[in-house]
Amino acid sequence: GAVVSQHPSRVICKSGTSVKIECRSLDFQATTMFWYRQFPKQSLMLMATSNEGSKATYEQGVEKDKFLINHASLTLSTLTVTSAHPEDSSFYICSASPGRVNYGYTFGSGTRLTVV
Amino acid sequence: KNEVEQSPQNLTAQEGEFITINCSYSVGISALHWLQQHPGGGIVSLFMLSSGKKKHGRLIATINIQEKHSSLHITASHPRDSAVYICAVSGWDSNYQLIWGAGTKLIIKP
């Protein structure tokens, strides 16, 4: 079945530094990638949607200059948290879709970010 | 009112019990998805439905398009089934974004 590899699974970084999270579709072309954030005991919240080769579309309230999304190829999308602060500590997870209706979504395993 | 409503919010049952989680939605959909989120955070797609019924092992998912309702059933529940089960629907917009239910936290006691 379809697999999305997400790395790293856990990362601890110092406040003010940047962290890059990578999602790679291993056996299909991820035309569309969704990036979510989840705070403890809360539902997943969509941060942004990216289509390969296009600029990402960010949800209201998500700072595009802070959360940089690159989707340069059909198999790789990255989320960079720039100038991280403790309040950015969260669980980040990607979901990839071939971009055609009813072809399903495959989720990465998630990245737990702790900013100290 | 949320576009996707799940019930119950929390469910605790004994091992072996038959489990039902319900999902109602109010928007037009291209498909309904049942997802499982483990305590570690990973999410697994269990089913994608646009009509009828699907079965995978001890899991059964049904959908009634006219009533805009879906159910996820677990037969012979086991402690390893303990997880958050999420109902989500995909619409017909160009990106097929998922609209998420709030999730049902299921605990199966041995």
Side-chain angles (χ1 to χ4, degrees):
Chain A
V3 175
V4 172
S5 174
Q6 183 172 346
H7 293 282
S9 57
R10 291 180 180 272
V11 58
I12 301 173
C13 72
K14 289 186 177 181
S15 188
T17 62
S18 295
V19 173
K20 181 183 282 189
I21 301 169
E22 179 181 290
C23 273
R24 193 180 295 272
S25 58
L26 299 185
D27 49 6
F28 69 101
Q29 293 183 333
T31 305
T32 305
M33 191 75 79
F34 303 94
W35 286 95
Y36 295 90
R37 179 169 53 182
Q38 185 178 37
F39 293 107
K41 299 187 179 182
Q42 294 188 23
S43 300
L44 286 164
M45 291 177 54
L46 180 65
M47 299 176 67
T49 303
S50 71
N51 290 302
E52 182 264 339
S54 303
K55 288 185 178 180
T57 301
Y58 290 81
E59 295 300 300
Q60 195 171 11
V62 178
E63 299 174 58
K64 62 180 181 181
D65 294 330
K66 181 170 183 62
F67 298 98
L68 301 178
I69 291 172
N70 185 288
H71 193 170
S73 79
L74 284 170
T75 59
L76 176 64
S77 179
T78 60
L79 167 67
T80 301
V81 183
T82 62
S83 187
H85 287 95
E87 57 264 31
D88 298 325
S89 298
S90 186
F91 183 72
Y92 293 86
I93 192 165
C94 64
S95 171
S97 166
R100 288 162 286 178
V101 66
N102 292 348
Y103 271 69
Y105 302 80
T106 304
F107 289 82
S109 53
T111 297
R112 191 159 301 280
L113 170 65
T114 303
V115 184
V116 297
Chain B
K1 190 179 191 303
N2 294 331
E3 293 171 307
V4 180
E5 297 272 0
Q6 268 186 253
S7 63
Q9 195 172 4
N10 293 283
L11 179 57
T12 300
Q14 290 296 132
E15 183 174 357
E17 285 189 39
F18 181 82
I19 303 299
T20 296
I21 300 171
N22 295 300
C23 177
S24 296
Y25 55 93
S26 58
V27 295
I29 67 169
S30 58
L32 183 142
H33 306 257
W34 282 104
L35 306 155
Q36 180 192 53
Q37 185 170 29
H38 290 283
I43 293 178
V44 174
S45 179
L46 299 175
F47 295 103
M48 183 173 69
L49 294 162
S50 55
S51 65
K53 175 180 175 179
K54 286 190 176 181
K55 185 177 189 291
H56 186 256
R58 294 181 294 106
L59 300 177
I60 303 167
T62 64
I63 187 168
N64 185 317
I65 297 295
Q66 286 73 32
E67 294 185 2
K68 295 189 174 179
H69 180 269
S70 175
S71 293
L72 176 68
H73 305 286
I74 305 174
T75 62
S77 60
H78 191 276
R80 65 174 175 267
D81 297 326
S82 299
V84 175
Y85 292 84
I86 306 168
C87 170
V89 299
S90 50
W92 293 95
D93 66 36
S94 59
N95 281 324
Y96 315 113
Q97 287 181 8
L98 290 174
I99 304 171
W100 298 78
T104 295
K105 184 174 182 179
L106 174 65
I107 297 173
I108 302 297
K109 293 185 175 181

